[in-house]
């Protein structure tokens, strides 16, 4: 099997060949571009593991392109065509919207695991539009939608294969066509899962029910899920099922952020020596900054990464004070983190609806203002293809030395949120930001604690995860101080949805409202 034309490192090429052999055993021949029916009863789970910069995402993208070129149908979260007996399918998955959006920016049509586990039930008009855009149906006639709007949608889809994006270009929201949700009943074929270090056993079992061929891409140096005894799901796979990428790919060379991350693999390296390395890198390269204080202005979109909850609460309070936020309400532009859904079991359908719109535990959200109904909030879900939503919200802001949080928005039930100006490093996994602030005094405290995880000092795992969240610049904050912001909080930087056009009868509730 020949690897793709793109020059891969030796370990990437070997991993590609071994994946291609596994696909061939499942009836997908990448070399010849030939598809055969899925064999009965055959299932396999493989893992591609490697540290940051080893080329996991590059390899995932090449595998996706190879499968697509062979004729495998890509299933995304926005629309799934009608089932055919002869079709072979692929889904590219990530645990969070933010992680999926990182892949989408690289041309890989990723979606969240939730959007594959649960599938929407669409209005027939949506199906007509989606089939036409995907090239499997005739141009539709839709009540209330002009030919000009359809042309705009078609032109957008020709450039970016996103049905929600095409509908937005026509002035519509795909979510307005969703009549309900249901658990996926029929399996797919191949699943490629990024950021699989975040998966627990339950999530893996859910995925194995759907995908006979499952490939996990993960970083063994990250933090394991809480309650997993330091083990990740791919740690339990036989050695022959784990493909290890050990070489740092050429695109990641000469990257001072990754140099620091990989230096943490030295067992003899102590915290003081590591900080000296950070200081030296900061002196040599502007991509690493030795910071004497936290920048409040950055916290609105890129949270400070901490270890201790007490630090997180103090920094959030300092952030709100710096922006002059009142004690009794939120300002538009304040960041939030979804802390789960607070709904009784009898409201399972509503829970699925909220989660499908991206309001899953750990999701990053920006507060836009009060909703149209009491207890509702207008929100921007970071990384979602349709980011703006109005939802019943329970927003809690913890304060230092106070047991009870301040609650500026309190529906009786709905999506629960904590403030997101500072987050724990555990919660930051799966996300990346251009500019990341790491609160070093917390990592020093972790080093002083002497704690370990899976035989590795905890401070090193924390530092590795925190550092590798930075795409462009790492700010190593060494003092418990806050620099006041230059500009006021706002929401002008967030993508806005176009004003919706009329489509049939008006909805009794505002578009996007999730009660």
């Amino acid at each position: 099997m020949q690897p793709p034309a793109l020059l891969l490192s030796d370990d990437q090429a070997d991993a590609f060949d071994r994946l291609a052999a596994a696909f061939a055993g499942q009836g997908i021949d990448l070399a010849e571009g030939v598809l055969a029916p899925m064999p009965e009863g055959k299932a396999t789970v493989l893992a591609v593991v490697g540290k940051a910069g080893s080329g996991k995402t590059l390899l995932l993208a090449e595998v996706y392109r190879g499968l697509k070129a062979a004729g495998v149908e890509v299933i995304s979260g926005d629309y799934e065509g009608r089932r055919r007996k002869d079709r072979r399918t692929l889904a590219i998955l990530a645990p969070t919207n933010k992680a999926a959006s990182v892949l989408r920016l690289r041309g890989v049509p990723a979606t969240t695991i939730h959007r594959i586990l649960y599938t929407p039930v669409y209005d027939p008009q949506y199906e007509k539009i989606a089939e036409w855009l995907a090239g499997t149906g005739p141009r539709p006639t839709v009540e209330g939608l002009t030919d000009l709007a359809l042309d705009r949608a078609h032109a957008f889809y020709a450039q970016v294969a996103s049905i929600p994006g095409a509908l937005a270009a026509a002035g519509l929201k795909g979510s307005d066509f969703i009549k309900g949700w249901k658990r996926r009943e029929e399996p797919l074929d191949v699943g490629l899962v990024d950021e699989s270090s975040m998966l627990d056993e339950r999530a893996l079992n859910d995925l194995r029910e759907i995908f006979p061929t499952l490939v996990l891409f993960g970083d063994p140096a990250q933090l394991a899920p809480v309650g997993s005894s330091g083990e990740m799901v791919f740690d339990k796979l036989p050695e022959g099922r784990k493909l290890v990428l050990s070489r740092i790919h050429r695109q990641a060379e000469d990257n001072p952020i990754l140099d620091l991350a990989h230096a943490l693999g030295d067992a003899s390296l102590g915290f003081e020596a590591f900080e000296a390395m950070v200081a030296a890198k900061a002196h040599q390269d502007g991509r690493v900054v030795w910071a004497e204080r936290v920048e409040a202005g950055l916290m609105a979109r890129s949270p400070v990464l901490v270890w201790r909850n007490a630090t997180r609460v103090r920094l959030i309070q300092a952030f709100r004070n710096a922006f002059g936020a009142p004690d009794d309400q939120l300002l538009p532009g304040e960041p939030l983190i979804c802390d789960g859904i607070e709904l009784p079991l009898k409201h399972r359908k509503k829970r699925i609806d909220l989660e499908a719109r991206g309001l899953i535990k750990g999701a990053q959200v920006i507060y836009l203002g009060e909703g149209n109904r009491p207890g509702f909030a207008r929100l921007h879900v970071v990384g979602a293809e349709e980011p703006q939503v109005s939802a019943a919200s329970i927003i809690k802001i913890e304060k230092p030395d106070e047991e009870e949080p301040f609650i500026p928005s309190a529906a009786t039930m709905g999506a629960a949120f904590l403030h997101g100006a500072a987050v724990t490093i555990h919660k930051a996994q799966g996300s990346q930001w251009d500019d990341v602030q790491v609160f070093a005094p917390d990592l020093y405290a972790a080093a002083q604690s002497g704690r370990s995880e899976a035989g590795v000092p905890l401070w090193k795992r924390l530092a590795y995860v925190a550092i590798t969240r930075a795409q462009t610049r790492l700010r190593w904050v060494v003092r418990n101080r806050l620099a006041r912001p230059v500009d006021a909080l706002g929401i002008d930087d967030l993508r806005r949805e176009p004003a919706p056009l009329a489509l049939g009868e008006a909805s009794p509730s505002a578009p996007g409202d999730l009660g």
Side-chain angles (χ1 to χ4, degrees):
M1 172 68 208
Q2 294 296 317
L6 178 68
L7 182 62
L8 301 178
S9 63
D10 290 343
D11 53 1
Q12 285 177 316
D14 179 62
F16 186 93
D17 286 348
R18 292 173 68 184
L19 291 174
F23 296 145
Q26 297 283 29
I28 302 172
D29 189 333
L30 298 187
E32 301 297 330
V34 175
L35 301 180
M38 182 171 30
E40 293 289 337
K42 291 188 68 175
T44 185
V45 179
L46 297 164
V48 177
V49 300
K51 291 186 177 181
S54 58
K56 297 185 299 297
T57 301
L58 178 68
L59 181 61
L60 186 155
E62 287 303 309
V63 170
Y64 149 65
R65 282 189 276 270
L67 290 167
K68 184 180 179 184
V72 178
E73 181 182 341
V74 179
I75 303 298
S76 67
D78 53 18
Y79 179 70
E80 183 176 340
R82 291 176 180 156
R83 296 180 177 86
R84 303 188 313 273
K85 289 183 179 180
D86 60 339
R87 77 171 183 170
R88 304 301 305 272
T89 56
L90 162 70
I92 301 109
L93 311 171
T96 67
N97 275 292
K98 189 69 165 63
S101 71
V102 171
L103 289 174
R104 290 198 297 269
L105 288 173
R106 300 182 184 187
V108 179
T111 188
T112 62
I113 292 171
H114 187 276
R115 286 300 297 265
I116 293 299
L117 290 177
Y118 293 94
T119 58
V121 178
Y122 287 107
D123 184 283
Q125 294 188 71
Y126 181 88
E127 294 186 356
K128 292 178 183 177
I129 298 171
E131 289 174 1
W132 170 61
L133 291 173
T136 59
R139 182 184 177 101
T141 299
V142 180
E143 183 182 356
L145 196 59
T146 66
D147 284 341
L148 178 61
L150 281 173
D151 290 341
R152 289 203 307 265
H154 192 269
F156 182 97
Y157 192 83
Q159 298 295 320
V160 181
S162 165
I163 291 173
L167 289 171
L172 298 170
K173 289 183 180 181
S175 57
D176 293 338
F177 293 88
I178 296 175
K179 300 169 66 177
W181 297 86
K182 62 179 181 180
R183 178 86 179 195
R184 179 176 291 278
E185 297 172 352
E186 296 186 21
L188 298 172
D189 282 8
V190 180
L192 308 180
V193 187
D194 198 23
E195 297 287 354
S196 63
S197 57
M198 299 175 66
L199 300 181
D200 57 20
E201 284 292 337
R202 180 179 177 181
L204 178 62
N205 290 335
D206 282 342
L207 291 169
R208 294 183 75 164
E209 288 181 7
I210 295 172
F211 298 101
T213 303
L214 194 60
V215 185
L216 311 176
F217 291 78
D219 187 336
Q222 292 202 32
L223 293 158
V226 176
S228 61
S229 303
E231 278 193 321
M232 300 177 190
V233 290
F234 47 73
D235 289 335
K236 299 178 181 179
L237 294 177
E239 287 304 312
R241 294 290 177 183
K242 285 194 289 188
L243 317 179
V244 180
L245 303 182
S246 56
R247 181 179 180 271
I248 301 303
H249 205 261
R250 62 187 184 280
Q251 285 93 336
E253 291 175 352
D254 191 32
N255 184 325
I257 299 171
L258 291 181
D259 288 345
L260 290 170
H262 287 277
L264 291 162
D266 181 353
S268 65
L269 184 69
F271 183 83
E272 290 79 5
F274 179 72
E275 275 214 319
M277 292 180 64
V278 176
K281 289 288 185 187
H283 183 71
Q284 299 164 2
D285 196 305
R287 289 173 286 181
V288 176
V289 177
W290 183 272
E292 294 289 336
R293 61 190 67 203
V294 175
E295 294 289 336
L298 287 176
M299 295 169 72
R301 298 294 179 267
S302 176
V304 181
L305 305 185
V306 305
W307 174 46
R308 297 176 291 192
N309 267 314
T311 305
R312 178 181 63 84
V313 173
R314 286 199 307 271
L315 284 171
I316 288 169
Q317 187 63 41
F319 168 86
R320 302 200 78 237
N321 290 341
F323 279 103
D327 284 341
D328 59 348
Q329 66 184 73
L330 284 173
L331 296 176
E334 290 198 63
L336 303 172
I337 297 289
C338 183
D339 197 40
I341 308 297
E342 297 187 4
L343 286 172
L345 289 176
K346 65 180 181 179
H347 292 286
R348 180 174 174 273
K349 181 179 178 182
K350 185 57 64 179
R351 174 186 293 273
I352 294 171
D353 198 15
L354 287 165
E355 291 176 341
R357 290 299 304 274
L359 297 178
I360 55 180
K361 193 174 179 69
Q364 300 164 51
V365 173
I366 307 299
Y367 179 75
L368 302 178
E370 295 181 356
N372 294 328
R373 288 186 267 170
F376 274 61
R378 291 185 295 112
L379 307 165
H380 178 102
V381 183
V382 176
E385 289 200 82
E386 292 187 19
Q388 297 196 7
V389 61
S390 177
S393 303
I394 305 162
I395 301 172
K396 306 173 185 178
I397 301 179
E398 302 135 298
K399 292 187 176 183
D401 304 319
E402 292 187 19
E403 291 186 9
E404 295 300 321
F406 151 57
I407 302 179
S409 178
T412 54
M413 54 187 179
F417 298 94
L418 300 174
H419 205 280
V423 302
T424 61
I425 295 169
H426 271 93
K427 272 190 166 52
Q429 287 198 143
S431 297
Q432 284 190 306
W433 299 270
D434 285 338
D435 216 331
V436 166
Q437 302 184 88
V438 178
F439 194 71
D442 260 23
L443 297 184
Y444 175 73
Q448 292 297 104
S449 74
R451 291 170 56 181
S452 295
E453 184 179 284
V456 178
L458 177 61
W459 78 266
K460 287 189 174 182
R461 283 193 176 271
L462 291 167
Y464 179 87
V465 172
I467 287 169
T468 54
R469 299 312 91 201
Q471 290 180 296
T472 304
R473 183 176 291 104
L474 168 68
R475 295 175 181 269
W476 188 262
V477 181
V478 296
R479 296 284 183 271
N480 190 12
R481 299 174 182 169
L482 187 79
R484 292 193 172 274
V486 176
D487 301 312
L489 272 178
I491 56 176
D492 290 342
D493 59 312
L494 304 178
R495 179 167 66 90
R496 297 179 182 276
E497 299 289 345
L501 300 178
L503 182 71
E505 294 184 2
S507 171
S509 61
D513 272 10
L514 301 176

